[in-house]
Structures are given as C-alpha cells and as structure tokens.
Amino acid sequence: MSFHSTAAQLVTLAAEGEEQGGNHESLSPFLTGGGALFILLLLLWIVTRFNRDR
C-alpha cells in the first residue's frame, strides 16, 4: 500500500464523516468538556500532593 493510496482512502473516509455530522445525540459538549476539566484538575491536585518537597 503506497502513501498516495493511503492518503486517498483517508480523504474519502473524512468526507463521509462530514455528511453524518459525527456527533451522537446523547453526547453533550459541555458535559464532556466539564468532565475532562474535572479529571485534569483532579490529576493536577494528586500530582501536587505527591510533590510536597518543593
């Protein structure tokens, strides 16, 4: 499989995704972003608890 044929297949796959919109009706962008923010802040808090020597 050459680079050109792989790129052409990826372009075709991406074009098909645009027609459907790509978003599921049950996924809320605000809920997903808020959950990701909460997880990242929790990980930041955990890391700072283990790094008390500074």
Side-chain angles (χ1 to χ4, degrees):
M1 187 179 282
S2 69
F3 178 74
H4 179 70
S5 64
T6 304
Q9 288 176 354
L10 288 175
V11 168
T12 304
L13 183 63
E16 290 174 359
E18 286 180 358
E19 296 170 359
Q20 299 171 356
N23 291 332
H24 195 270
E25 294 175 359
S26 67
L27 289 177
S28 169
F30 294 109
L31 184 62
T32 305
L37 178 63
F38 175 75
I39 290 171
L40 288 172
L41 288 174
L42 179 66
L43 287 173
L44 179 65
W45 181 78
I46 290 170
V47 166
T48 56
R49 296 302 104 197
F50 283 115
N51 196 9
R52 291 180 184 248
D53 59 337
R54 290 187 177 192

